[in-house]
Amino acid sequence: MNSISAAVPDIYRILPEVVLTLTGVLIMLIDAAMPAASSRRGLGWLGAFGVMAALWASLWQLSLPAGTAFYNTVQTDAFSVFFHVLICGIVLVSLLISLDALPPDSSPVQHHRGEYFALMVFGAVGMCLMTSAIELLVVFIALEISSISTYILAGFRKHTGKGPEAAIKYFLLGSFATGFLLYGVALIFGATGTTQINQIAGLIPHARSSSLVLASFALLMVGILFKVSAAPFHVWTPDVYEGAPSPVVALMSTAPKAAAFALLIRLLYSSFPMLQPMWMPLMWIIAILSMTVGNLAALRQENVKRMLAYSSIAHAGYLLAAFAGVGFTGIAAASFYIAAYSAMQVGIFAVVTVVSGYNEDLPLIADFRGLIYRAPVLGSVLIFFLASLIGIPFTAGFFGKFYSFSTALQGGAVWLGLIGLLNSGLAAAYYLKLAVTVAQPPAAGAQKLVTPRLGLAVGTALVFTAIATLILGIHPQHILGAAQAGAASFSKAPASANPPAAENVRWVR
Amino acid sequence: MDNVIISLILLAPLAGALLVLLLPDRGKLPAWAALATALVTFLLTLHLPAHFNPGAQGFQFVQDIPWIANPAIRYHVGVDGLSLWLVVLTGLLAPIGVLASWKTVKERSKVFYAFFLLQQTAMVGVFVSLDLMLYYGFWELSLIPMAILIAMYGRGSSENGGPKAATRFFLYTFISSAPLLVALLWLYAKTGSFQFSDLQSAIASGTIPAGPLCWAALAFLIAFAVKVPVLGLHGWLPDTFSEAPVSMAMVVAGKLGLYSLIRFHVGLFPVQAHKAAPWMIALAAAGILYGALLALVQKDFWKLLAYGTISSLSFCTLGIYGFTLAGLDGSVFQTINEGVIGAALFVLFGVLYDRYGTSQISQYGGLTKKTPVLATVFVIASLAMIGLPMLNGFIGEFLVLSSTFTEVSRSWATAGTIGVILSAAYMLTLVQRVFYGPQSQLSLSKPASDLELREKFVLYPLATLMLVMGIFPNLWLSEIETGIRGAANALSAPISNSASSAGGQQ
């Protein structure tokens, strides 16, 4: 533990996680004490307030000097706070969406609503911890906390055929990925004798075997790239998204990904900076592969959630393009992209949730026909989110892509920027298909669809995400500033600040 | 007033759009609100020519406010002679568009007029932005309302026709903008600025390597050429013309693309533009003939107008890439003409379609007896489109063709002249088949109804403008010329040679 942080009690460094854990435990205790028949809506609100408190606690951490705690296992800095706030924001909105999308009373899962809220909050604990952990074993534990809760949530609609299928697929493939990650941790420990993210870089030059380091790096990457559903580790995404309840997809397509990206950034820039000549082209290839595969597959989808699933693969690709940039600009660009993507993705799933209902009887793009006539507000907001996903200026999506691709261009990868932007033209085709369907006059007769109703909670969620998408699009400075502050905290990381130059050459080969 | 006038012109339609959204969707209320907003905006745009100083070089009514620190994007707007009349034209077409939609938009008029006004802001924004990222923002923004309105209010001549046309329109322009954005970001990475003047001087000073610069210029060119549209990239236009609501179709073609070509392709990359010129001239001449020949054989008047537009917009391209002062003058003038004449023809076709419910030319015939006023205005607009002397079309075509003939190439000029003859053929054939000859079954079956007051409000100013622009072109050309000279400075040697001779020729 270094001298600056000595004055700060360790517990302050994990305050948001503590608040979240207490909230989750409280929800479970109250849930158990409640009569079986009573409404558990209040528990959702309790969760929301707990998450808000955690969000406040993260912001409060900014007043602490950056430092580590618990024997160098967690680190709070501007970077971790950025992701804490982002994750808490996503979980908060997801909870709000869930409140109005509760299963109907006849549903077989109606008694499990308390668990649902608790699991969402517990998942947030893991995700938050992932972004502040600087010890690979803590990372592993955090990843498991976050994953297990999302595995369960993915299968929550167990009365449908697709729910259990989604959960089992997610669980099996996710476990493999975590296994890879853990194996990578073991190998890096074997090679360097440490699992401290910040110390690995300094010890790699003295590693026993360079192939061991490379193997461990590869395994770690497989584990993380699975979590962010980058190609070619993306195959689980569409099935899982299709089967899981929409509010859960809102959560799991953004928050765990944000956490995994944070981890990826930490690993690449803190632990393996000297491997940069090797991992940068790797990231480019994965970026191009992800966006192309994602977009091409999304073009053919008829189901809205599957389409959004494939498009999320493409977005992981756009984000990885930022890694072509040099140093901290790349980190800031990637962080900004995650924030922008989360705002619009959660927003769009809020709309999907309201339109298709808990049972998701209306899963197809064609079912959205004439939405803007049935529910003008909902339809307009949906079109706005789609415009942002396309990357129209004055929306979050535009500046996300803007920073990502301009970072790539500054790094000299003109072709990467070009492929990326052509891909976003391709993506426009399927987003537009949905937008035009929404704007198309309803088919004559044969429309038995009811007008979707907006509840208070989901309405708040929509307003929140729409405003976030707009503000990120017309006034991106604040978030970019926060992202840059986060990126700057990497220059303080002891090992990456001074990578041994002579040894670099060895690793380039 | 002078330093905020452009912001007011930008904000007025935006505020109007919000107002329309907040109003109850009752009767004609949204339409009236939109009309009021559009008229106010038009009056505001008139402030520009009234206070424009034709003697001054550079941009006027400039407003420059820092917007985003990183990347350095500024809210930097202003007009010069090149953009001046395009802004006014956009302002003029707004109330006309609202009036033209008066009867056709019956349901959900709130959404229609809100998007219509948003489109207005985006269009003006394209013309006044001096920061290229701001420009790009407005450029992309202009696509959304258009696409949505085509999808929602398309004429629906076939099932799913509207959505298909909307998607096609959007994809064509959006995908071609991708290289533009890459080029912009690349330029930013090289210069650290999105300011038009900064980029202009950076490129002129030769600090940026010529090889990649060539690609950047090409990226700009492609994005703009699609929007013009230049031959080969015009696939979206016929569909859009057939499906889009009248008030949208009349703003979609030409102006944005042609303006951008002059300002940002020729203006920023003079050397590369010279390299591209032979290709562009060839494409333009081919476009003139192609459009005219296809217009000649169309059975549907929207399609006829679409191909006719391709033909007459190619005149503008021809004028731009000749790099003569007269040619550029003529191109800008012709761009404005296209706006005026195209709008009038669209409204007229709209009136016919509204009365008789078909766009098949063969169904019409002998309408002069029943609707003499309509026929008169139609003939004036057709003659203007053909380029009859004393009407505005003549001035533009004459400037372009004469400068091409003397300065560029006789053979291409000849091709253009054949296009003029062909345009007379298709327009006059159209007039003859619709308005003269025996009355058709269709025209006999419907009651006679000539132009009503609202339609006269729309068409008379346009018809008058065609005459005034044709008789006193210098009212416009003097301002345009100051703008062109600004752009011409960038073209340095080649333009100054021809400028002197073009000046002598006038």
Side-chain angles (χ1 to χ4, degrees), chain B residues 131-133 135-136 139 176-188 193-194 196 199 203 212-228 233 256-257 260-269 272-273 280 321:
Chain B
D131 178 299
L132 266 82
M133 197 33 78
Y135 162 82
Y136 183 82
W139 173 267
S176 62
S177 307
L180 171 66
L181 185 59
V182 174
L184 268 180
L185 294 178
W186 181 79
L187 284 174
Y188 181 73
S193 172
F194 281 124
F196 175 65
L199 288 177
I203 292 169
L213 199 60
C214 208
W215 290 105
L218 185 65
F220 273 63
L221 181 62
I222 290 174
F224 303 151
V226 167
K227 194 88 176 191
V228 169
L233 301 170
L256 296 176
S260 306
L261 274 180
I262 300 177
R263 171 85 80 216
F264 297 115
H265 185 242
V266 177
L268 273 181
F269 308 99
Q272 287 73 18
M280 292 305 289
Y321 286 90

Side-chain angles (χ1 to χ4, degrees), chain B residues 155 236-244 249 252-253 302 305-306 309 346:
Chain B
R155 253 175 252 114
W236 57 272
L237 189 72
D239 274 8
T240 307
F241 268 34
S242 322
E243 292 296 337
V252 68
W302 302 116
L305 187 55
T309 306
F346 258 111

Side-chain angles (χ1 to χ4, degrees), chain A residues 397-430:
Chain A
F398 175 73
F399 275 111
K401 279 184 193 154
F402 179 96
Y403 290 128
S404 185
F405 292 134
S406 59
T407 311
L409 288 175
Q410 274 163 8
V414 178
W415 46 274
L416 180 59
L418 191 65
I419 294 178
L421 281 163
L422 286 177
N423 251 298
S424 67
L426 198 63
Y430 58 83

Side-chain angles (χ1 to χ4, degrees), chain B residues 418-481:
Chain B
I418 295 173
V420 176
I421 298 168
L422 288 174
S423 77
Y426 66 77
M427 280 317 287
L428 293 179
T429 316
L430 176 74
V431 170
Q432 196 273 328
R433 286 166 72 186
V434 173
F435 289 101
Y436 297 97
Q439 289 204 11
S440 71
Q441 204 64 36
L442 183 74
S443 91
L444 285 171
S445 66
K446 302 266 168 146
S449 54
D450 210 342
L451 291 184
E452 55 190 68
L453 190 63
R454 173 182 62 85
E455 289 153 353
K456 286 178 183 164
F457 266 124
V458 175
L459 289 166
Y460 284 4
L462 290 175
T464 315
L465 204 55
M466 289 175 210
L467 274 166
V468 177
M469 284 178 79
I471 297 169
F472 307 106
N474 282 336
L475 289 177
W476 284 265
L477 284 174
S478 54
E479 271 100 1
I480 291 174
E481 207 155 305

Side-chain angles (χ1 to χ4, degrees), chain A residues 329 369 372-373 383 387 390-394 398-399 401-403 405-406 409-410 414 417-419 421-422 424-426 428-429 432-433 435-436 439-442 473-477 480 484, chain B residues 67-71 73 108 111 115 133-134 136-138 140-141 143-144 147-148 151-153 159-160 162-164 166-168 170-171 174-175 178-179 181-186 188-189 194:
Chain A
T329 358
R369 179 160 175 180
I372 202 164
Y373 304 108
I383 289 179
I390 291 175
I392 298 296
F394 311 121
F398 175 73
F399 275 111
K401 279 184 193 154
F402 179 96
Y403 290 128
F405 292 134
S406 59
L409 288 175
Q410 274 163 8
V414 178
L418 191 65
I419 294 178
L421 281 163
L422 286 177
S424 67
L426 198 63
L432 203 65
K433 186 158 92 179
V436 163
Q440 213 177 337
I474 56 179
H475 198 74
Q477 273 121 318
L480 186 72
Q484 279 164 339
Chain B
W67 175 29
I68 294 169
N70 178 23
I73 303 177
R108 303 171 287 268
V111 184
F115 275 119
M133 197 33 78
L134 187 67
Y136 183 82
F138 283 121
E140 294 287 61
L141 186 65
L143 303 180
I144 297 276
I148 289 180
M152 283 180 79
Y153 301 90
E159 172 66 3
N160 282 337
K164 238 183 224 158
T167 313
R168 193 175 246 223
F170 188 89
L171 287 184
F174 188 78
I175 291 181
L181 185 59
V182 174
L184 268 180
L185 294 178
W186 181 79
Y188 181 73
F194 281 124

Side-chain angles (χ1 to χ4, degrees), chain B residues 367-380:
Chain B
L367 284 184
T368 331
K369 295 184 192 95
K370 299 174 77 175
T371 56
V373 186
L374 174 68
T376 313
V377 182
F378 197 99
V379 169
I380 295 177

Side-chain angles (χ1 to χ4, degrees), chain B residues 67 128 202 208 249 301 337 343 346 349 441 500 504:
Chain B
W67 175 29
V128 298
I208 302 178
F301 56 56
N337 286 344
F346 258 111
F349 284 144
Q441 204 64 36
S500 53

